[in-house]
Amino acid sequence: MLTLKKISKTFNPGTVNEKKALDQVSLELADGDFATIVGSNGAGKSTLFHAITGAFYVDEGQILLAGEDITYRREHIRSKVIGHLFQDPLKGSAPHMTIEENMALAYLRASTSAHAYFSRISSKEKQMFREQLTQLDMGLEDRMKQPVGLLSGGQRQALTLLMATLVTPKILLLDEHTAALDPTTAQKVLELTRRIVAERKITCLMVTHNMQQALTMGNRTLMMDGGHIVLDVCGTEREKMTVDDLLAAFKDQAGRRLDNDRILLTR
Amino acid sequence: MGSIFTLSIVQSALELGCIYSLVALALFISFSILNIADLSTDGCFTLGCSVGAVVTIAGHPLLAFPAAMAAGVCSGFVTAFLQTRMGVPSILAGIIVNTGLYTVNIAVMGFSSNVNLFGCDTIFSMAKEVSGAKWYGDWYKLMIVAAIVLLIGVILAWFLNTRLGLSIRATGDNEYMVRASSINPVFMITVGLCVANSLTALSGAVLAQYQKSCDINLGTGMVTIALASLIIGETIIGKGGMFKKVTGVILGSCLYRFIVAVALRLSVPAECLKLVSALIVAFAIAFPYLKGKADFYRRHRIPLKRNDGSGEEDEEVC
């Protein structure tokens, strides 16, 4: 579904702040793959997501989504088929607009004809939004006329998840989407993610700092460090892996980087 | 006190309030919805006024309105183009366009700083001939401007609830969400500013026919006045749907005109009018903030000074 061919991105090239955020990253995600990504801060996880969504164009390499080359496609055109959730629950919905209006915005992805610009939300769509909200089990279906700003962080993130998958995306990118929620709400949103992704067989990438989640969610685990994908496990190898193994691999990477630095400094 | 509100004062306040409410509605789109301070409003208002006046002089009083709106759309498009495609910060884009419009406006008026429409057919003179009844002669102006504002208000409230309107509102509300949705923010800002500036220009054109003249300095301070109307409107109406908000903006504009009329009636000299306006604007903008402060003090001070709390109430009233 998603193919990355040796993509690279350097921020602030030619300055002291030069940072190679992605270095020749290649990745092949099959249809229906659900991969988790772990990695320390600055490893390039979010940059990878932004490269896929088109927040910036990559310096080199190619991005293919469902066989189509989207490397230089503009962000709002790509986002028709990409769902993206941020860590900050406030980023995913418009606070001064009602739940219903937010859902209608998410549902814009489904409309193809230009004259839909001047159409209003139909009662049939309202009914559909209500049914979708019911499955969140948060009572939001009775608050559809209320502004989203009144919801709690957890409710907003659940709503954002629903909005991102209202029209089934080709790929769903989850950037630590439960990290800012309390443990109970996080668990609920995570369950919801698992259910929606499994039901619709959505291809999905999820960044997490929870090693347990990294191994139990989805069918594949990636580890990133210094702009590279340094570990990629799936199948039986992943099943046998424990949190300790993963942590060891994590420390191993971090240690190796330290060693490299030390070598550089002593020379 | 009864003499402050004579019928003619109420009338003219309502008439001007309706005309200027179109500018307030324009700022409602650019300032409240898109979160952009569009400082080209002053120049755009004069542009609408001069285009409207020139077309009216040419003998097309009705065509003056669409012509002025088209001119406003062009002005809005240039402002939007500068900030979305040329990387000019939005406030600066407005100032640049405003400066440029000064020359454009003079040029539209045939390189003169004012024109007058005496003896020309206007929408008002045409309406006046419909009936000779006394009450009609008193009220026809208000009826026309109210009809225009009502029409625009209904269309605008409807428009903001369409999918395009929703997308424009989301663009100003949450940039991250818009980027993650399939909405093109550049297009939405452009459409929003074009619609806003067309309303500003329409207001100018109506004013030109109303006062039968157009002057190059007519638009000076328009952005502050409209902002005051907008904020008064938002304060009195509070939260609500688009219809309610649009109504609030129109009411706010009328209320602002009443305040100015009262100030004039209280023998404030005409030369001081701009200062009075500025004070009203500063107060209207500061009011929600001061109200929040007052609420805070009320909640925190009264329990501490319960025994001498009687004097505290007075300062929170204003």
Side-chain angles (χ1 to χ4, degrees), chain A residues 1-20:
Chain A
M1 181 55 81
L2 177 76
T3 310
L4 305 178
K5 286 183 187 165
K6 294 190 171 174
I7 59 167
S8 299
K9 177 70 191 176
T10 308
F11 289 116
N12 308 313
T15 69
V16 283
N17 292 324
E18 181 171 305
K19 169 136 178 70
K20 195 146 203 172

Side-chain angles (χ1 to χ4, degrees), chain A residues 190-206:
Chain A
L190 215 56
E191 268 318 306
L192 196 68
T193 312
R194 204 195 296 265
R195 203 179 75 214
I196 291 177
V197 170
E199 268 173 16
R200 315 247 205 103
K201 298 186 178 60
I202 302 170
T203 312
C204 182
L205 274 175
M206 178 173 114

Side-chain angles (χ1 to χ4, degrees), chain B residues 235-282:
Chain B
T235 312
I236 56 176
I237 216 84
K239 291 186 175 68
M242 277 301 130
F243 271 100
K244 206 174 157 195
K245 281 186 175 158
V246 167
T247 314
V249 173
I250 297 171
L251 287 181
S253 179
C254 293
L255 194 62
Y256 173 82
R257 285 293 145 189
F258 272 114
I259 298 170
V260 172
V262 169
L264 279 177
R265 193 69 184 165
L266 293 172
S267 62
V268 174
E271 307 87 72
C272 300
L273 197 55
K274 283 268 193 262
L275 181 60
V276 172
S277 300
L279 287 176
I280 294 171
V281 172

Side-chain angles (χ1 to χ4, degrees), chain B residues 48-64:
Chain B
C49 195
S50 51
V51 169
V54 167
V55 177
T56 308
I57 290 171
H60 302 286
L62 291 179
L63 194 64

Side-chain angles (χ1 to χ4, degrees), chain B:
Chain B
M1 287 297 275
S3 65
I4 288 179
F5 293 107
T6 62
L7 186 63
S8 70
I9 284 181
V10 173
Q11 241 179 20
S12 71
L14 281 175
E15 283 163 12
L16 287 174
C18 279
I19 294 174
Y20 287 115
S21 72
L22 293 172
V23 190
L25 286 174
L27 282 207
F28 174 62
I29 299 174
S30 59
F31 186 76
S32 295
I33 291 182
L34 279 175
N35 208 6
I36 292 171
D38 181 8
L39 296 183
S40 70
T41 303
D42 290 9
C44 187
F45 183 80
T46 317
L47 177 71
C49 195
S50 51
V51 169
V54 167
V55 177
T56 308
I57 290 171
H60 302 286
L62 291 179
L63 194 64
F65 303 123
M69 286 176 90
V73 168
C74 295
S75 155
F77 181 80
V78 173
T79 315
F81 185 81
L82 283 177
Q83 55 181 284
T84 55
R85 302 275 186 198
M86 296 284 132
V88 182
S90 65
I91 290 189
L92 206 51
I95 294 174
I96 291 171
V97 171
N98 193 35
T99 309
L101 279 176
Y102 188 86
T103 309
V104 174
N105 293 337
I106 291 222
V108 169
M109 293 190 284
F111 291 97
S112 133
S113 62
N114 58 56
V115 291
N116 65 60
L117 311 179
F118 291 114
C120 297
D121 272 344
T122 66
I123 189 170
F124 298 103
S125 68
M126 287 159 75
K128 196 180 179 183
E129 287 158 16
V130 171
S131 162
K134 168 90 174 62
W135 70 269
Y136 184 80
D138 288 341
W139 293 99
Y140 74 96
K141 279 188 174 175
L142 184 59
M143 279 159 62
I144 288 174
V145 289
I148 293 173
V149 167
L150 209 64
L151 183 70
I152 295 290
V154 169
I155 293 175
L156 185 63
W158 170 84
F159 171 73
L160 289 173
N161 279 322
T162 61
R163 275 169 229 279
L164 183 58
L166 288 181
S167 307
I168 291 174
R169 285 162 58 194
T171 304
D173 206 9
N174 190 343
E175 187 199 334
Y176 294 100
M177 173 204 180
V178 166
R179 282 148 55 106
S181 312
S182 56
I183 300 167
N184 181 359
V186 170
F187 180 68
M188 295 309 154
I189 289 176
T190 309
V191 172
L193 284 183
C194 285
V195 172
N197 281 286
S198 74
L199 295 185
T200 307
L202 175 65
S203 173
V206 176
L207 187 78
Q209 295 201 358
Y210 177 79
Q211 65 176 29
K212 294 202 175 98
S213 69
C214 173
D215 185 272
I216 189 69
N217 291 321
L218 205 69
T220 311
M222 192 51 62
V223 69
T224 354
I225 291 167
L227 212 51
S229 310
L230 178 64
I231 288 164
I232 293 173
E234 283 182 350
T235 312
I236 56 176
I237 216 84
K239 291 186 175 68
M242 277 301 130
F243 271 100
K244 206 174 157 195
K245 281 186 175 158
V246 167
T247 314
V249 173
I250 297 171
L251 287 181
S253 179
C254 293
L255 194 62
Y256 173 82
R257 285 293 145 189
F258 272 114
I259 298 170
V260 172
V262 169
L264 279 177
R265 193 69 184 165
L266 293 172
S267 62
V268 174
E271 307 87 72
C272 300
L273 197 55
K274 283 268 193 262
L275 181 60
V276 172
S277 300
L279 287 176
I280 294 171
V281 172
F283 179 75
I285 295 177
F287 182 75
Y289 174 80
L290 291 178
K291 192 162 169 277
K293 276 271 191 197
D295 289 346
F296 177 81
Y297 280 116
R298 191 173 314 166
R299 258 181 288 124
H300 292 268
R301 208 192 290 168
I302 290 175
L304 293 176
K305 295 185 179 178
R306 188 158 286 169
N307 38 7
D308 60 48
S310 55
E312 302 292 316
E313 301 289 345
D314 294 344
E315 53 188 87
E316 279 123 27
V317 174
C318 53

